[in-house]
Amino acid sequence: MGTGISSVVATVLVFIFYLLAANSVKSQWEHKLLINPLKITTEANGRASLSKTQVFFFTLIVAWLSIYWIMEEGKLVPLNDSIIMLLGIAAGGAGLGRVAGAARFQVTGVNLAWTKKKKWIEKDLTRVSLAHRPKFSDLFTSDQGFEVSRFQAVVFSVIIGGSLMYNGIMIDDVSQFESFSIPSTYLALIGLSQGVYVGGKVVGTNFIPELNSKLDKLRELELAFTTAVLQSPIWQNASTGERDLWLAREKAAPSQYTTYMQNATEAAEIVNSLTGNKIDSIRIQPELPPV
């Protein structure tokens, strides 16, 4: 088949694969058509993921070249071991990064249920609002700012991907494509960058232990507040219509209310820093005893 037709078929099929990937995450972005690939590879915290972007980038390139040479030769063309290793390093980094991130953001079940009941969050404690958009700069930066290891990974990913694409297109014989090899030094650089990236996730800023501690205490303080309200003669002697938050916080249990609110405000600020959503002041208030 002619080279031009092979290129068109490969491009169309890869574009279809891209649309399938975009459609799988469309619900996170108000069901809009995703042109920006960073929205496909975004992390739970709303930032563009370096490792997932690498996997996506290399996969699309290798898929295009594979389809192209299938159209040219009429059969599957073997990939060099170094290309398989490249995909494996990128996928491994993405998987380890996800595991490291999940391990650092483990909130206890009872605290997660409590924050959902209070409507502080909708799904989890790392999901940001749609006001946050992943940016290209996310690939170079972390919570600590610009990182050379990330910059290195992006630069050499582009170099390797460009070389792979160029050699895959410019060669005249399929045997040359089969023998195309990525130098081990470049693979080592990508692997080293992935290692530093995963390590950064492990040791990076983590508010979850502090948040768990505060939420444990906050649930106890809320229980202490409602118990004090129920035991207060002022509350007991008040009519049903008078039993409201003002009476509870000003008359029935003012000290317990103040202590609860101080801790609730601090906990809400941590949740806000993780989710990107500011918690409405009314949701910070403690529950009242059943009327």
PDB file of all heavy atoms in Angstrom, residues 32-54:
ATOM      1  N   LYS A  32     -17.205  17.694  28.258  1.00  0.00           N
ATOM      2  CA  LYS A  32     -16.773  18.457  27.085  1.00  0.00           C
ATOM      3  C   LYS A  32     -15.744  17.642  26.296  1.00  0.00           C
ATOM      4  O   LYS A  32     -15.033  16.802  26.841  1.00  0.00           O
ATOM      5  CB  LYS A  32     -16.151  19.781  27.527  1.00  0.00           C
ATOM      6  CG  LYS A  32     -17.139  20.733  28.189  1.00  0.00           C
ATOM      7  CD  LYS A  32     -16.442  22.014  28.617  1.00  0.00           C
ATOM      8  CE  LYS A  32     -17.425  22.970  29.269  1.00  0.00           C
ATOM      9  NZ  LYS A  32     -16.765  24.220  29.745  1.00  0.00           N
ATOM     10  N   LEU A  33     -15.664  17.920  24.985  1.00  0.00           N
ATOM     11  CA  LEU A  33     -14.674  17.267  24.142  1.00  0.00           C
ATOM     12  C   LEU A  33     -13.283  17.715  24.576  1.00  0.00           C
ATOM     13  O   LEU A  33     -13.020  18.910  24.698  1.00  0.00           O
ATOM     14  CB  LEU A  33     -14.906  17.620  22.668  1.00  0.00           C
ATOM     15  CG  LEU A  33     -13.907  17.026  21.669  1.00  0.00           C
ATOM     16  CD1 LEU A  33     -14.021  15.507  21.665  1.00  0.00           C
ATOM     17  CD2 LEU A  33     -14.143  17.582  20.274  1.00  0.00           C
ATOM     18  N   LEU A  34     -12.394  16.767  24.819  1.00  0.00           N
ATOM     19  CA  LEU A  34     -11.078  17.095  25.337  1.00  0.00           C
ATOM     20  C   LEU A  34     -10.055  17.170  24.202  1.00  0.00           C
ATOM     21  O   LEU A  34      -9.735  16.163  23.570  1.00  0.00           O
ATOM     22  CB  LEU A  34     -10.632  16.042  26.354  1.00  0.00           C
ATOM     23  CG  LEU A  34     -11.551  15.835  27.560  1.00  0.00           C
ATOM     24  CD1 LEU A  34     -10.931  14.834  28.516  1.00  0.00           C
ATOM     25  CD2 LEU A  34     -11.818  17.145  28.268  1.00  0.00           C
ATOM     26  N   ILE A  35      -9.563  18.369  23.955  1.00  0.00           N
ATOM     27  CA  ILE A  35      -8.487  18.555  22.997  1.00  0.00           C
ATOM     28  C   ILE A  35      -7.147  18.531  23.711  1.00  0.00           C
ATOM     29  O   ILE A  35      -6.154  18.046  23.186  1.00  0.00           O
ATOM     30  CB  ILE A  35      -8.661  19.895  22.242  1.00  0.00           C
ATOM     31  CG1 ILE A  35     -10.013  19.929  21.539  1.00  0.00           C
ATOM     32  CG2 ILE A  35      -7.524  20.101  21.248  1.00  0.00           C
ATOM     33  CD1 ILE A  35     -10.205  18.839  20.512  1.00  0.00           C
ATOM     34  N   ASN A  36      -7.130  19.055  24.932  1.00  0.00           N
ATOM     35  CA  ASN A  36      -5.908  19.120  25.719  1.00  0.00           C
ATOM     36  C   ASN A  36      -5.573  17.734  26.274  1.00  0.00           C
ATOM     37  O   ASN A  36      -6.295  17.214  27.122  1.00  0.00           O
ATOM     38  CB  ASN A  36      -6.093  20.122  26.865  1.00  0.00           C
ATOM     39  CG  ASN A  36      -4.833  20.285  27.700  1.00  0.00           C
ATOM     40  OD1 ASN A  36      -3.814  19.650  27.454  1.00  0.00           O
ATOM     41  ND2 ASN A  36      -4.912  21.142  28.699  1.00  0.00           N
ATOM     42  N   PRO A  37      -4.467  17.107  25.853  1.00  0.00           N
ATOM     43  CA  PRO A  37      -4.138  15.761  26.338  1.00  0.00           C
ATOM     44  C   PRO A  37      -3.810  15.729  27.825  1.00  0.00           C
ATOM     45  O   PRO A  37      -3.900  14.678  28.461  1.00  0.00           O
ATOM     46  CB  PRO A  37      -2.920  15.363  25.495  1.00  0.00           C
ATOM     47  CG  PRO A  37      -2.320  16.664  25.068  1.00  0.00           C
ATOM     48  CD  PRO A  37      -3.472  17.596  24.876  1.00  0.00           C
ATOM     49  N   LEU A  38      -3.412  16.871  28.391  1.00  0.00           N
ATOM     50  CA  LEU A  38      -3.080  16.909  29.813  1.00  0.00           C
ATOM     51  C   LEU A  38      -4.301  16.632  30.680  1.00  0.00           C
ATOM     52  O   LEU A  38      -4.178  16.193  31.817  1.00  0.00           O
ATOM     53  CB  LEU A  38      -2.470  18.271  30.183  1.00  0.00           C
ATOM     54  CG  LEU A  38      -1.135  18.608  29.509  1.00  0.00           C
ATOM     55  CD1 LEU A  38      -0.632  19.958  29.989  1.00  0.00           C
ATOM     56  CD2 LEU A  38      -0.090  17.528  29.780  1.00  0.00           C
ATOM     57  N   LYS A  39      -5.493  16.903  30.153  1.00  0.00           N
ATOM     58  CA  LYS A  39      -6.713  16.603  30.902  1.00  0.00           C
ATOM     59  C   LYS A  39      -6.984  15.097  30.941  1.00  0.00           C
ATOM     60  O   LYS A  39      -7.664  14.602  31.829  1.00  0.00           O
ATOM     61  CB  LYS A  39      -7.915  17.328  30.292  1.00  0.00           C
ATOM     62  CG  LYS A  39      -7.884  18.836  30.507  1.00  0.00           C
ATOM     63  CD  LYS A  39      -9.153  19.483  29.992  1.00  0.00           C
ATOM     64  CE  LYS A  39      -9.147  20.983  30.258  1.00  0.00           C
ATOM     65  NZ  LYS A  39     -10.384  21.639  29.785  1.00  0.00           N
ATOM     66  N   ILE A  40      -6.443  14.385  29.971  1.00  0.00           N
ATOM     67  CA  ILE A  40      -6.586  12.930  29.957  1.00  0.00           C
ATOM     68  C   ILE A  40      -5.632  12.309  30.970  1.00  0.00           C
ATOM     69  O   ILE A  40      -5.957  11.314  31.624  1.00  0.00           O
ATOM     70  CB  ILE A  40      -6.307  12.374  28.548  1.00  0.00           C
ATOM     71  CG1 ILE A  40      -7.305  12.957  27.539  1.00  0.00           C
ATOM     72  CG2 ILE A  40      -6.356  10.845  28.535  1.00  0.00           C
ATOM     73  CD1 ILE A  40      -7.028  12.558  26.103  1.00  0.00           C
ATOM     74  N   THR A  41      -4.469  12.911  31.136  1.00  0.00           N
ATOM     75  CA  THR A  41      -3.440  12.347  32.004  1.00  0.00           C
ATOM     76  C   THR A  41      -3.340  13.072  33.343  1.00  0.00           C
ATOM     77  O   THR A  41      -2.327  12.993  34.020  1.00  0.00           O
ATOM     78  CB  THR A  41      -2.069  12.404  31.301  1.00  0.00           C
ATOM     79  OG1 THR A  41      -1.738  13.783  31.002  1.00  0.00           O
ATOM     80  CG2 THR A  41      -2.093  11.611  30.014  1.00  0.00           C
ATOM     81  N   THR A  42      -4.391  13.779  33.720  1.00  0.00           N
ATOM     82  CA  THR A  42      -4.353  14.510  34.978  1.00  0.00           C
ATOM     83  C   THR A  42      -4.375  13.568  36.176  1.00  0.00           C
ATOM     84  O   THR A  42      -4.906  12.458  36.113  1.00  0.00           O
ATOM     85  CB  THR A  42      -5.551  15.484  35.070  1.00  0.00           C
ATOM     86  OG1 THR A  42      -5.410  16.316  36.218  1.00  0.00           O
ATOM     87  CG2 THR A  42      -6.858  14.724  35.183  1.00  0.00           C
ATOM     88  N   GLU A  43      -3.767  14.014  37.277  1.00  0.00           N
ATOM     89  CA  GLU A  43      -3.780  13.255  38.518  1.00  0.00           C
ATOM     90  C   GLU A  43      -5.028  13.594  39.307  1.00  0.00           C
ATOM     91  O   GLU A  43      -5.782  14.504  38.960  1.00  0.00           O
ATOM     92  CB  GLU A  43      -2.529  13.573  39.344  1.00  0.00           C
ATOM     93  CG  GLU A  43      -1.232  13.118  38.686  1.00  0.00           C
ATOM     94  CD  GLU A  43      -0.024  13.422  39.548  1.00  0.00           C
ATOM     95  OE1 GLU A  43       0.019  14.506  40.159  1.00  0.00           O
ATOM     96  OE2 GLU A  43       0.872  12.569  39.612  1.00  0.00           O
ATOM     97  N   ALA A  44      -5.234  12.880  40.410  1.00  0.00           N
ATOM     98  CA  ALA A  44      -6.410  13.120  41.242  1.00  0.00           C
ATOM     99  C   ALA A  44      -6.411  14.517  41.845  1.00  0.00           C
ATOM    100  O   ALA A  44      -7.460  15.069  42.137  1.00  0.00           O
ATOM    101  CB  ALA A  44      -6.483  12.087  42.360  1.00  0.00           C
ATOM    102  N   ASN A  45      -5.211  15.112  42.023  1.00  0.00           N
ATOM    103  CA  ASN A  45      -5.144  16.451  42.604  1.00  0.00           C
ATOM    104  C   ASN A  45      -5.300  17.554  41.564  1.00  0.00           C
ATOM    105  O   ASN A  45      -5.136  18.730  41.867  1.00  0.00           O
ATOM    106  CB  ASN A  45      -3.828  16.633  43.365  1.00  0.00           C
ATOM    107  CG  ASN A  45      -2.603  16.500  42.463  1.00  0.00           C
ATOM    108  OD1 ASN A  45      -2.710  16.364  41.245  1.00  0.00           O
ATOM    109  ND2 ASN A  45      -1.438  16.524  43.060  1.00  0.00           N
ATOM    110  N   GLY A  46      -5.601  17.181  40.322  1.00  0.00           N
ATOM    111  CA  GLY A  46      -5.857  18.164  39.287  1.00  0.00           C
ATOM    112  C   GLY A  46      -4.642  18.590  38.492  1.00  0.00           C
ATOM    113  O   GLY A  46      -4.766  19.320  37.508  1.00  0.00           O
ATOM    114  N   ARG A  47      -3.461  18.153  38.886  1.00  0.00           N
ATOM    115  CA  ARG A  47      -2.235  18.500  38.169  1.00  0.00           C
ATOM    116  C   ARG A  47      -1.979  17.508  37.036  1.00  0.00           C
ATOM    117  O   ARG A  47      -2.352  16.340  37.134  1.00  0.00           O
ATOM    118  CB  ARG A  47      -1.040  18.508  39.117  1.00  0.00           C
ATOM    119  CG  ARG A  47      -1.067  19.604  40.165  1.00  0.00           C
ATOM    120  CD  ARG A  47       0.076  19.445  41.143  1.00  0.00           C
ATOM    121  NE  ARG A  47       1.355  19.434  40.475  1.00  0.00           N
ATOM    122  CZ  ARG A  47       2.057  20.533  40.176  1.00  0.00           C
ATOM    123  NH1 ARG A  47       1.604  21.729  40.530  1.00  0.00           N
ATOM    124  NH2 ARG A  47       3.220  20.451  39.567  1.00  0.00           N
ATOM    125  N   ALA A  48      -1.344  17.983  35.969  1.00  0.00           N
ATOM    126  CA  ALA A  48      -0.958  17.079  34.891  1.00  0.00           C
ATOM    127  C   ALA A  48       0.089  16.109  35.412  1.00  0.00           C
ATOM    128  O   ALA A  48       1.030  16.496  36.102  1.00  0.00           O
ATOM    129  CB  ALA A  48      -0.401  17.883  33.720  1.00  0.00           C
ATOM    130  N   SER A  49      -0.081  14.830  35.107  1.00  0.00           N
ATOM    131  CA  SER A  49       0.822  13.787  35.598  1.00  0.00           C
ATOM    132  C   SER A  49       1.960  13.573  34.614  1.00  0.00           C
ATOM    133  O   SER A  49       1.730  13.279  33.434  1.00  0.00           O
ATOM    134  CB  SER A  49       0.059  12.486  35.798  1.00  0.00           C
ATOM    135  OG  SER A  49       0.951  11.413  36.020  1.00  0.00           O
ATOM    136  N   LEU A  50       3.202  13.711  35.087  1.00  0.00           N
ATOM    137  CA  LEU A  50       4.357  13.497  34.230  1.00  0.00           C
ATOM    138  C   LEU A  50       4.423  12.061  33.747  1.00  0.00           C
ATOM    139  O   LEU A  50       4.575  11.806  32.549  1.00  0.00           O
ATOM    140  CB  LEU A  50       5.635  13.856  34.997  1.00  0.00           C
ATOM    141  CG  LEU A  50       6.961  13.496  34.305  1.00  0.00           C
ATOM    142  CD1 LEU A  50       7.074  14.194  32.954  1.00  0.00           C
ATOM    143  CD2 LEU A  50       8.139  13.839  35.204  1.00  0.00           C
ATOM    144  N   SER A  51       4.311  11.102  34.649  1.00  0.00           N
ATOM    145  CA  SER A  51       4.459   9.695  34.268  1.00  0.00           C
ATOM    146  C   SER A  51       3.343   9.243  33.330  1.00  0.00           C
ATOM    147  O   SER A  51       3.587   8.541  32.346  1.00  0.00           O
ATOM    148  CB  SER A  51       4.497   8.812  35.520  1.00  0.00           C
ATOM    149  OG  SER A  51       3.330   8.981  36.291  1.00  0.00           O
ATOM    150  N   LYS A  52       2.103   9.643  33.614  1.00  0.00           N
ATOM    151  CA  LYS A  52       0.985   9.251  32.753  1.00  0.00           C
ATOM    152  C   LYS A  52       1.098   9.913  31.384  1.00  0.00           C
ATOM    153  O   LYS A  52       0.740   9.313  30.363  1.00  0.00           O
ATOM    154  CB  LYS A  52      -0.331   9.616  33.422  1.00  0.00           C
ATOM    155  CG  LYS A  52      -0.661   8.747  34.627  1.00  0.00           C
ATOM    156  CD  LYS A  52      -1.810   9.292  35.437  1.00  0.00           C
ATOM    157  CE  LYS A  52      -3.125   9.201  34.718  1.00  0.00           C
ATOM    158  NZ  LYS A  52      -4.257   9.637  35.570  1.00  0.00           N
ATOM    159  N   THR A  53       1.600  11.157  31.356  1.00  0.00           N
ATOM    160  CA  THR A  53       1.794  11.836  30.069  1.00  0.00           C
ATOM    161  C   THR A  53       2.860  11.140  29.245  1.00  0.00           C
ATOM    162  O   THR A  53       2.729  10.997  28.019  1.00  0.00           O
ATOM    163  CB  THR A  53       2.181  13.306  30.296  1.00  0.00           C
ATOM    164  OG1 THR A  53       1.153  13.961  31.047  1.00  0.00           O
ATOM    165  CG2 THR A  53       2.361  14.039  28.968  1.00  0.00           C
ATOM    166  N   GLN A  54       3.931  10.686  29.897  1.00  0.00           N
ATOM    167  CA  GLN A  54       4.975   9.938  29.199  1.00  0.00           C
ATOM    168  C   GLN A  54       4.412   8.666  28.584  1.00  0.00           C
ATOM    169  O   GLN A  54       4.674   8.363  27.411  1.00  0.00           O
ATOM    170  CB  GLN A  54       6.110   9.588  30.163  1.00  0.00           C
ATOM    171  CG  GLN A  54       7.096  10.712  30.425  1.00  0.00           C
ATOM    172  CD  GLN A  54       8.219  10.246  31.326  1.00  0.00           C
ATOM    173  OE1 GLN A  54       7.988   9.594  32.338  1.00  0.00           O
ATOM    174  NE2 GLN A  54       9.438  10.569  30.964  1.00  0.00           N
TER     175      GLN A  54
END
